């Protein structure tokens, strides 16, 4: 078995896919099937890489998972056994055999339909098939951090092999699903893998800033496998233009950053590996020292750092004393939860606490379900709050990112159960200063418990930076004398243990009049004692204002500007006015209209607004004035890199739910004799169907009989339907520049068999010029124009 030596440099091989393409692999062929059908070809590529100096030879198993092989006629075991067998035949014991595992090709819930366990099982199956035949496991080219986490757990839990994990970034430094270098590193480095890094997507030059950043953050070895440049299309095939010596020069830079493991991805050849190895070996091993002792947690796309600026942990997702939330949790009303989560995010929370503990519910199940849904819509990191160890573990496991676990305490049982969960999942953990004897009265005793927690955590391998301590605020009305003890304990923990501190604040004012006044006074006293974060209501105006003023007094020029802007927006008020303004603000806190519900991806909310709007507005007006502009705005943010695919999908779902309401309202309006039929389809390669569905409903509303073939429809199916149903009009939709070509191909094929058929086209990307280019008879800007054209054609 391979054991990583931190003083050495390691070299993987280069591309397999593009090498196969250059040797005649057809685009639609499954590359992994060649392990069985053309073993000599695969073996010869392995041999070339071995001769070029690679110490690791990667088996041709990238896509050998149960989903991708489903219709291939091959089993996972067949492909993996043969793939690793070829590595052994080619390399013998002269190189390490690598089981290569790429993304499953499925999108994980709540964005797609693959569950965490489906992905886990598929990877576990690959690992089990290959673990006795290889030396290391490489998980590569992932763009969804969540899928990679599931894959890593599957690899680590089903083998004892070293696991290397890499993700693909674009030039903005983000993956396709929105993960950043920082969130990737924070999430993966604590999971127990041997190395992490980047591969594919970009050439070596574009990867420089990304690799430099990873090397400044990662406490585990870093691996880099760039493409040989950015692909350039020539004659319908991708070409990679970075030469072997250019590739080697940049690899030298990677070595200077402290990268330990080198290799190549798309477009690289044995020549690239040979040159790279020579350059890197001459550069020698550079040691990295990471001076980063920051306490960070993250979601897939957002980091929260404690100890820098004061952090607000939103307390509203805790059912204690909240009847509506209790009801929502019992009834599985996720929309209520989502609204609360979005609201706190908008109110400025940095982290959300999530507690789903209620008597008689399966807390692990409710907590994981809620976490998955909330993470689908809100990008804030989450503090997973439970006293049920099983729930805490399930939450830490399925969490997308690096969570904060709330909480462990000084009791032996709690330490024994919670700390291993934090260790295994690389999470931060919040320690409460109480033990078998309850909450001590004195600061010294609370400090003793805090130290015990820190020492025990470090003993099992949890770094100090991953531990936060809550010195516990007791109720001032009942235990007034103990308030200074809490403050003193915070000071001691901060100064002597050097860990970040958190406080559940509102308990302090329980039973007292004017609680906000007490809360904010305690808050400032605690911050002065060294408090880094508080679990509070981010919508509490008193706290917000106090923090804004605090930041002004202790922060920089930006804080000054923020304070001034806040005061301009919120002039000081008194008495009844304050209450009126607060009530108003509360009203505005809920997603105010259909557009914002769609933009935030709130399905139920979008449907509800639509139902309400139908009382005074026509369905078509709602489509044109709300749904389309809201989607346009999300589309623009997506294009500008402000939102990522997950949010785009969520917004599309919300738009669909609004449209379903309109669709049933419109279908109850229609009457009269049926006209048509007309075929509708979104063209091949294009999955956008919201617009096409709107067009269908409106056509039907005008009594046209519609044969809806769906989305991503191959031209042959459309031609078949035209002939079978003897249709004279076909309506096609395309939303992307790339699928206009597919529209043209479809129209050509229809015309070949039925030149007389009239074709109407529409979709955001189209213009009258593009419609003409595609060969259509008519271009419809919107659904109503489609109706006018159709009426002319079919009457
Ligand atoms: Co994507 N998407 N999307 N997307 N998406 C666009 C289209 C995009 C413009 C966003 C952007 O970057 N600004 C961009 C295309 C860029 C381009 O090529 N120029 C884009 C991209 C790149 C992508 C992906 C590649 C993202 C990725 O994976 N990297 C991917 C594509 C996958 C694929 O198709 N192979 C993708 C995926 C998705 C989702 C799945 C997340 C989701 C679609 C969900 C679904 O439809 N079921 C989605 C969404 C929602 C959008 C945006 C935000 C909204 C599209 C929409 O529904 N608009 C879109 C941005 C935008 O359009 N501003 C975007 C509202 C709808 C009512 O309008 O369809 O134009 P539209 O229909 C109108 C009229 O055009 C007309 O009537 C309708 C009502 O007025 N009309 C007809 C349409 N068809 C007609 C036919 C007719 C008559 C009128 O007669 C037959």
């Amino acid at each position: 078995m391979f054991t990583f030596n931190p003083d050495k440099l390691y070299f993987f091989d280069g591309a397999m896919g593009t090498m196969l393409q250059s040797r005649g692999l057809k685009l639609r062929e499954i590359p992994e099937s060649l392990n069985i059908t053309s073993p000599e070809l695969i073996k010869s590529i392995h041999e070339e890489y071995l001769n070029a100096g690679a110490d690791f030879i990667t088996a041709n198993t990238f896509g050998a998972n149960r989903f991708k092989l489903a219709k291939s006629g091959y089993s996972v075991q067949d492909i993996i056994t043969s793939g690793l067998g070829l590595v052994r035949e080619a390399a013998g014991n002269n190189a390490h055999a690598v089981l290569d595992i790429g993304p499953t090709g499925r999108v994980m819930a709540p964005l797609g339909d693959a569950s965490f366990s489906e992905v886990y099982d598929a990877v576990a199956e690959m690992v089990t098939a290959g673990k006795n035949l290889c030396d290391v496991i490489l998980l590569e080219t992932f763009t969804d951090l969540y899928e990679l986490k599931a894959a890593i757990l599957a690899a680590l839990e089903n083998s004892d092999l070293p696991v290397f994990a890499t993700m693909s970034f674009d030039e903005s430094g983000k993956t396709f699903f929105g993960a950043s270098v920082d969130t990737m590193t924070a999430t993966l480095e604590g999971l127990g893998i041997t190395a992490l890094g980047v591969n594919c997507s970009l050439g070596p030059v574009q990867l420089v800033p990304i690799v430099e950043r990873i090397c400044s953050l990662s406490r585990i070895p870093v691996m880099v496998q760039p493409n040989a440049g950015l692909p350039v299309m020539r004659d319908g095939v991708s070409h990679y233009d970075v030469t072997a010596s250019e590739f080697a020069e940049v690899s030298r830079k990677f070595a200077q950053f402290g990268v330990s493991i080198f290799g190549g991805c798309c477009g690289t050849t044995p020549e690239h590996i040979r040159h790279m190895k020579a350059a890197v070996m001459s550069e020698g091993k550079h040691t990295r020292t990471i001076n980063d002792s920051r306490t960070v947690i993250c979601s897939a796309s957002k980091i929260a750092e404690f100890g820098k600026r004061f952090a607000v942990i939103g307390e509203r997702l805790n059912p204690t004393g909240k009847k509506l939330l209790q009801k929502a949790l019992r009834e599985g009303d996720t929309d209520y939860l989502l609204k609360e989560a979005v609201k706190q995010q908008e109110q400025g929370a940095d982290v959300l606490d999530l507690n789903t503990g209620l008597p008689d519910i399966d807390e692990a199940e409710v907590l994981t379900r809620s976490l998955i849904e909330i993470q689908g819509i809100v990008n804030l990191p989450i503090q997973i709050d439970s006293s049920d160890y099983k729930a805490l573990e399930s939450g830490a496991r399925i969490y997308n990112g690096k969570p904060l676990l709330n909480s462990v305490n000084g009791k032996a049982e709690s330490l024994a159960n919670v700390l291993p969960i934090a260790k295994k999942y690389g999470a931060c953990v919040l320690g409460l200063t109480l033990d078998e004897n309850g909450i001590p009265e004195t600061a010294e005793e609370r400090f003793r418990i805090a130290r015990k927690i820190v020492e025990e955590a470090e003993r099992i391998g949890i770094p100090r930076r991953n531990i936060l301590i809550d010195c516990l605020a007791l109720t001032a009305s009942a235990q007034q004398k103990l308030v200074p003890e809490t403050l003193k304990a915070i000071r001691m923990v901060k100064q002597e243990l050097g860990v970040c501190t958190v406080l559940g604040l509102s308990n302090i004012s329980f039973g007292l009049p004017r609680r906000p006044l007490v809360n904010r006074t305690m808050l400032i006293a605690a911050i002065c004692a060294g408090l880094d974060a508080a679990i509070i209501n981010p919508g509490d105006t008193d706290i917000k204002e106090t923090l804004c003023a605090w930041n002004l007094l202790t922060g920089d020029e930006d804080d000054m500007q923020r304070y001034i802007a806040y005061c301009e927006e919120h002039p000081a008020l008194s008495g009844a006015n304050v209450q009126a303004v607060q009530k108003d603000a509360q009203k505005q806190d809920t997603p105010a209209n259909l557009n914002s519900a769609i933009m935030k991806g709130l399905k139920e909310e979008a449907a509800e607004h639509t139902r309400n709007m139908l009382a005074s507005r026509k369905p078509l007006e709602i489509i044109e004035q709300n749904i389309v502009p809201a989607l346009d705005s999300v589309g623009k943010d997506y294009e500008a890199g402000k939102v990522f695919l997950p949010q785009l999908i969520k917004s599309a779902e919300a738009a669909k739910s609004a449209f379903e309401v309109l669709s049933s309202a419109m279908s109850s309006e229609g009457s009269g004799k049926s006209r048509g039929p007309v075929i509708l389809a979104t063209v091949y390669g294009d999955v956008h169907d919201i617009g096409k569905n709107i067009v269908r409903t409106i056509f039907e509303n005008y009594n046209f009989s519609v044969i809806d073939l769906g989305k991503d429809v191959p031209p042959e199916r459309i031609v078949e339907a035209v002939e079978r149903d003897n249709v004279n009009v076909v309506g096609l939709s395309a939303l992307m520049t790339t699928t206009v070509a597919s529209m043209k191909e479809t129209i050509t094929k229809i015309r070949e068999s039925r030149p007389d058929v009239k074709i109407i086209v529409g979709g955001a990307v189209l213009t009258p010029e593009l419609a003409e280019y595609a060969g259509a008879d008519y271009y419809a800007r919107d659904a109503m124009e489609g109706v006018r054209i159709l009426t002319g054609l079919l009457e």
Side-chain angles (χ1 to χ4, degrees):
M1 193 167 103
F2 166 75
T3 311
F4 184 83
N5 175 350
D7 298 326
K8 279 191 69 179
L9 292 162
Y10 293 101
F11 299 90
F12 271 60
D13 47 7
M16 172 61 79
T18 44
M19 288 282 280
L20 289 173
Q21 271 173 29
S22 70
R23 288 164 200 204
L25 174 79
K26 308 261 174 351
L27 267 180
R28 289 194 189 179
E29 211 166 317
I30 296 178
E32 292 77 11
S33 64
L34 298 174
N35 294 345
I36 291 165
T37 58
S38 305
E40 288 308 318
L41 171 63
I42 302 295
K43 207 167 100 181
S44 66
I45 294 175
H46 290 329
E47 281 163 355
E48 288 179 44
Y49 279 122
L50 184 76
N51 293 336
D55 320 311
F56 289 82
I57 300 293
T58 311
N60 182 31
T61 54
F62 179 82
N65 66 63
R66 58 171 71 156
F67 306 119
K68 289 187 175 166
L69 292 182
K71 290 183 188 151
S72 69
Y74 298 108
S75 71
V76 171
Q77 184 73 59
D78 289 345
I79 297 286
I80 288 183
T81 310
S82 54
L84 284 165
L86 292 172
V87 173
R88 282 284 178 239
E89 278 179 39
N93 288 328
N94 297 321
H96 301 291
V98 181
L99 171 61
D100 188 26
I101 301 179
T104 58
R106 301 278 305 275
V107 178
M108 286 176 73
L111 306 172
D113 60 358
S115 67
F116 192 87
S117 59
E118 274 179 290
V119 169
Y120 177 95
D121 291 346
V123 176
E125 183 182 20
M126 293 177 78
V127 169
T128 309
K131 66 179 173 188
N132 295 326
L133 305 168
C134 67
D135 303 304
V136 303
I137 296 173
L138 173 63
L139 300 165
E140 60 160 328
T141 328
F142 282 75
T143 53
D144 183 356
L145 186 59
Y146 199 26
E147 186 182 14
L148 181 52
K149 178 172 173 185
I152 287 176
L153 292 176
L156 292 173
E157 291 173 359
N158 292 281
S159 80
D160 296 324
L161 294 166
V163 175
F164 297 55
T166 56
M167 297 193 82
S168 296
F169 292 85
D170 60 33
E171 277 177 279
S172 69
K174 297 270 169 74
T175 71
F176 182 53
F177 279 79
S180 65
V181 166
D182 292 45
T183 59
M184 172 188 78
T185 312
T187 304
L188 302 189
E189 68 175 2
L191 289 178
I193 54 177
T194 299
L196 60 76
V198 286
N199 77 317
C200 205
S201 282
L202 300 172
V205 173
Q206 296 79 22
L207 277 183
V208 167
I210 294 176
V211 174
E212 187 173 18
R213 179 82 188 149
I214 298 182
C215 288
S216 73
L217 293 174
S218 174
R219 293 172 184 82
I220 63 173
V222 175
M223 169 167 191
V224 181
Q225 293 188 297
N227 287 348
L230 297 172
V232 186
M233 287 301 273
R234 282 199 296 269
D235 309 325
V237 182
S238 303
H239 291 265
Y240 295 86
D241 290 341
V242 170
T243 64
S245 49
E246 288 163 348
F247 192 82
E249 241 354 89
V250 189
S251 302
R252 190 188 285 281
K253 205 177 190 83
F254 295 151
Q256 289 162 6
F257 293 151
V259 170
S260 315
I261 306 148
F262 297 80
C265 204
C266 305
T268 56
T269 62
E271 268 319 279
H272 288 85
I273 302 303
R274 194 187 318 279
H275 279 72
M276 173 186 74
K277 185 167 181 179
V280 170
M281 288 305 279
S282 74
E283 187 59 44
K285 178 85 180 76
H286 286 245
T287 315
R288 288 182 300 126
T289 25
I290 307 291
N291 297 319
D292 180 9
S293 58
R294 292 177 308 153
T295 299
V296 297
I297 59 170
C298 66
S299 64
S301 59
K302 201 173 174 73
I303 290 273
E305 180 184 339
F306 294 96
K308 192 175 166 200
R309 282 174 69 83
F310 189 79
V312 171
I313 304 176
E315 67 176 10
R316 303 289 303 159
L317 290 172
N318 182 327
T320 314
K322 299 187 192 76
K323 287 212 173 80
L324 286 176
L325 181 57
Q326 290 175 10
K327 186 164 172 282
L329 288 172
R330 283 191 193 289
E331 293 173 1
D333 174 3
T334 34
D335 215 55
Y336 183 87
L337 240 78
L338 296 182
K339 272 190 278 183
E340 279 295 331
V342 169
K343 187 157 117 187
Q344 293 186 83
Q345 174 163 271
E346 289 175 348
Q347 287 165 337
D350 301 291
V351 174
L352 297 182
D353 181 85
L354 176 66
N355 181 313
T356 60
L358 283 174
D360 311 326
I361 63 164
D362 178 348
E363 192 178 337
E365 193 275 320
V366 179
L367 180 71
T368 49
R369 186 162 31 85
S370 308
L371 260 176
I372 291 170
E373 290 294 333
I374 290 173
Q375 288 212 285
I377 206 159
V378 164
N379 68 357
L380 293 181
I382 293 182
Q383 168 172 286
I384 303 172
D385 181 357
S386 177
S387 50
D388 173 337
Y389 305 135
K390 188 172 150 241
L392 207 58
E393 155 117 49
S394 316
R397 187 174 182 78
I398 60 88
Y399 180 79
N400 187 2
K402 175 183 179 184
L404 169 56
L405 304 183
N406 181 8
S407 56
V408 66
N409 60 51
K411 291 181 191 168
E413 187 207 313
S414 172
L415 292 167
N417 281 288
V418 177
L419 293 181
I421 302 174
K423 165 81 176 110
K424 174 170 181 184
Y425 297 102
C428 281
V429 62
L430 179 58
L432 308 187
T433 52
L434 63 88
D435 62 11
E436 285 82 357
N437 300 317
I439 303 173
E441 295 204 339
T442 65
E444 287 72 15
E445 270 301 292
R446 290 189 216 179
F447 174 76
R448 186 189 55 76
I449 297 173
R451 190 169 56 201
K452 180 170 154 195
I453 293 170
V454 171
E455 282 172 0
E456 186 53 22
E458 285 189 325
R459 193 186 63 77
I460 71 158
I462 299 174
R464 195 170 280 223
R465 63 175 187 281
N466 280 357
I467 307 161
L468 298 95
I469 295 290
D470 184 338
C471 293
L472 302 173
L474 301 178
T475 307
S477 57
Q479 294 169 292
Q480 190 188 7
K481 296 254 165 352
L482 299 190
V483 175
E485 295 301 318
T486 300
L487 297 173
K488 186 173 170 194
I490 293 173
R491 192 169 287 113
M492 289 174 77
V493 165
K494 192 77 207 224
Q495 285 173 359
E496 293 178 40
L497 296 176
V499 297
C500 287
T501 54
V502 176
L503 196 64
L505 187 73
S506 23
N507 201 25
I508 195 81
S509 60
F510 189 76
L512 288 170
R514 297 199 58 191
R515 290 187 66 182
L517 174 58
V518 180
N519 288 345
R520 67 175 192 242
T521 307
M522 177 66 179
L523 179 66
I524 291 305
I527 293 178
C528 290
L531 189 70
D532 298 300
I535 307 170
I536 44 183
N537 177 2
D540 181 328
T541 314
D542 284 293
I543 297 274
K544 246 191 200 160
E545 293 194 334
T546 305
L547 280 174
C548 190
W550 172 259
N551 288 337
L552 153 82
L553 295 175
T554 57
D556 56 20
E557 178 59 25
D558 287 347
D559 291 302
M560 170 79 78
Q561 292 310 327
R562 271 192 281 271
Y563 176 80
I564 290 168
Y566 181 86
C567 294
E568 274 167 13
E569 243 180 77
H570 305 88
L573 296 164
S574 61
N577 279 348
V578 173
Q579 280 171 11
V581 167
Q582 279 176 353
K583 272 197 185 139
D584 248 22
Q586 273 166 13
K587 263 195 227 150
Q588 282 165 15
D589 283 338
T590 56
N593 53 36
L594 175 57
N595 299 44
S596 91
I598 291 176
M599 288 161 70
K600 286 173 195 152
L602 290 170
K603 272 201 281 193
E604 299 296 325
E605 189 82 20
E608 197 182 317
H609 279 300
T610 311
R611 273 190 288 274
N612 295 340
M613 285 161 79
L614 273 173
S616 57
R617 308 257 306 274
K618 291 211 160 35
L620 258 184
E621 259 173 49
I622 299 176
I623 290 173
E624 300 296 340
Q625 292 170 17
N626 299 86
I627 298 182
V628 174
L631 283 172
D632 266 351
S633 159
V634 177
K636 282 192 187 115
D637 284 351
Y638 172 77
E639 206 164 16
K642 289 189 200 152
V643 303
F644 294 90
L645 196 63
Q647 290 104 311
L648 197 64
I649 295 177
K650 278 287 173 192
S651 291
E653 283 173 2
K656 273 192 167 174
S657 78
F659 182 66
E660 272 156 24
V661 173
L662 297 178
S663 179
S664 47
M666 287 193 278
S667 63
S668 60
E669 282 173 9
S671 65
K673 141 167 148 324
S674 175
R675 302 179 282 181
V678 53
I679 284 177
L680 275 186
T682 302
V683 298
Y684 187 60
D686 201 322
V687 302
H688 296 88
D689 66 354
I690 298 177
K692 189 258 313 155
N693 292 344
I694 291 177
V695 171
R696 183 194 66 212
T697 306
I698 291 171
F699 280 9
E700 286 175 343
N701 201 237
Y702 279 81
N703 295 314
F704 292 104
S705 145
V706 177
I707 301 168
D708 185 353
L709 298 180
K711 60 190 172 189
D712 193 11
V713 188
E716 300 74 27
R717 267 193 59 208
I718 301 178
V719 172
E720 209 179 282
V722 168
E723 286 175 358
R724 188 188 53 229
D725 298 312
N726 194 21
V727 176
N728 296 319
V729 185
V730 173
L732 299 175
S733 197
L735 268 277
M736 297 192 294
T737 321
T738 45
T739 49
V740 176
S742 167
M743 183 175 256
K744 186 177 168 69
E745 189 192 338
T746 308
I747 296 175
T748 311
K749 292 223 160 104
I750 297 173
R751 297 237 189 276
E752 278 166 11
S753 66
R754 285 279 309 275
D756 58 312
V757 167
K758 297 290 177 213
I759 295 165
I760 312 174
V761 296
V765 73
L766 285 182
T767 56
E769 293 73 31
L770 279 177
E772 196 185 327
Y773 158 82
D777 298 295
Y778 302 95
Y779 162 66
R781 197 183 49 84
D782 56 26
M784 279 314 292
E785 198 163 334
V787 168
R788 282 190 288 277
I789 298 168
L790 210 49
T791 307
L793 283 172
L794 291 177
E795 267 188 355

